[in-house]
Amino acid sequence: MAAPPHIGWIKDTGERRQTACGQEIQIWELDPVDDQAVLSAWAAHFRHHYCADADLPALVDGTGKSKAEFLNTILFPDAKVAPGPSLRSGDFGEILVADFIEFILGYWCPRELRYQDRWNRQDSTKGCDIVGFKYANNQGESANDELYVFESKSGLSATKSNRLQDAVTDSMKDHLREAMTLNAMKQRLLVRGETAQVEAVQRFQNEAERPFRRINGAAAVLDINVFATTKLEETDATGHKNAANLRLLVIKGPSLMQLVQALYERAANEA
């Protein structure tokens, strides 16, 4: 998949901070501009996480709704009724971090399955937030193949919580959720007949017999006002089972909740 154009708006600030336990935090920035073509492409990319455009007419058929009404009332979390806004915020953060992992770090990140199989639009999907896969070479399996398991938290409005700490705390549970998440992903791919992708996931289900590198990550997507008041240096990953291979990421940006709502609105109206 070619990188969508909004990826060019995600840039490394070069700033690095240290946690209380000595882990490095990378600080990146999302800097959107008023480019209608890029925003439309981003909205379409966003919509495709919830349903393929090719499937949308059949999904809408029989509901008596327009495409926009169907997306806004059946698939997308509600814009106003709780917990819809916080789910929109969380989904946005997860998708943005998945974009980062796939298009900037170069992992295969089959994330649409997480949203397309969500039967309740007002409930989050369980399991590890984001999973990425990278193969060391094209000659077969290698012990240097990488499984990247990432937890993402959003802080797009005022909060007293350190959202990076929240992501780290959740990441500590991923060793318990990893096997179930990979199995759920594999099941969904089997239903879709994606044989090659099933085998790609399967490669990471038995570390004892088929060794690989496991990398864990924790990310916080923060509005710049939240970023300014968050004491990132107080983040503590002590006790993380994969502390030696833990990556910490913050992506900050201006007026992000306003951007989120605009993306959902455009994704519905331009379907």
Side-chain angles (χ1 to χ4, degrees):
M1 182 192 301
H6 71 272
I7 297 301
W9 292 345
I10 306 172
K11 298 177 181 178
D12 189 354
T13 68
E15 181 183 357
R16 300 293 183 267
R17 298 193 188 180
Q18 256 198 355
T19 66
C21 58
Q23 294 277 358
E24 180 183 83
I25 307 170
Q26 291 192 16
I27 311 295
W28 288 63
E29 186 170 25
L30 173 64
D31 188 17
V33 298
D34 187 17
D35 185 319
Q36 297 303 304
V38 175
L39 289 169
S40 287
W42 192 358
H45 170 74
F46 206 72
R47 182 176 63 250
H48 297 160
H49 284 73
Y50 294 90
C51 70
D53 281 351
D55 295 336
L56 189 54
L59 292 172
V60 172
D61 193 26
T63 66
K65 300 178 183 293
S66 67
K67 290 179 181 178
E69 290 169 338
F70 174 81
L71 289 165
N72 282 325
T73 63
I74 302 295
L75 285 192
F76 294 162
D78 197 273
K80 297 179 180 179
V81 178
S86 65
L87 288 171
R88 286 187 169 205
S89 169
D91 285 1
F92 171 80
E94 289 177 6
I95 293 169
L96 187 68
V97 172
D99 287 343
F100 177 88
I101 292 172
E102 181 163 355
F103 300 115
I104 294 177
L105 300 186
Y107 288 77
W108 172 53
C109 192
R111 68 311 248 292
E112 290 86 353
L113 303 172
R114 180 170 176 82
Y115 309 95
Q116 290 182 5
D117 287 350
R118 179 187 288 171
W119 65 272
N120 181 356
R121 73 185 185 116
Q122 292 288 79
D123 192 13
S124 61
T125 308
K126 306 304 183 281
C128 304
D129 287 346
I130 304 146
V131 179
F133 308 88
K134 183 184 283 186
Y135 296 87
N137 56 62
N138 297 322
Q139 309 305 315
E141 293 180 11
S142 165
N144 290 321
D145 294 342
E146 293 181 353
L147 174 68
Y148 205 158
V149 182
F150 229 109
E151 289 298 313
S152 169
K153 297 295 180 184
S154 295
L156 308 190
S157 55
T159 176
K160 295 181 180 179
S161 177
N162 178 345
R163 298 302 277 157
L164 183 60
Q165 181 65 66
D166 294 341
V168 169
T169 301
D170 261 14
S171 179
M172 291 180 178
K173 306 170 188 174
D174 277 342
H175 71 285
L176 302 173
R177 298 184 291 212
E178 179 186 301
M180 292 180 285
T181 299
L182 291 175
N183 180 65
M185 186 179 293
K186 184 177 174 182
Q187 283 185 308
R188 292 163 183 162
L189 291 168
L190 278 168
V191 170
R192 288 164 169 77
E194 301 284 356
T195 305
Q197 294 186 3
V198 167
E199 293 175 357
V201 173
Q202 183 172 295
R203 182 265 173 275
F204 293 92
Q205 287 188 289
N206 189 345
E207 185 181 8
E209 294 187 9
R210 306 164 76 182
F212 56 84
R213 291 188 64 216
R214 176 183 289 99
I215 301 173
N216 285 92
V221 178
L222 304 177
D223 184 88
I224 53 174
N225 293 322
V226 176
F227 174 83
T229 59
T230 299
K231 297 178 180 178
L232 296 172
E233 293 82 359
E234 294 182 358
T235 304
D236 190 353
T238 301
H240 196 292
K241 289 184 176 294
N242 198 22
N245 294 292
L246 179 64
R247 308 288 184 266
L248 303 182
L249 170 71
V250 170
I251 302 177
K252 62 178 180 175
S255 305
L256 290 187
M257 195 62 203
Q258 182 179 341
L259 172 65
V260 169
Q261 297 288 32
L263 276 175
Y264 273 101
E265 181 178 4
R266 188 182 289 260
N269 292 338
E270 295 182 0

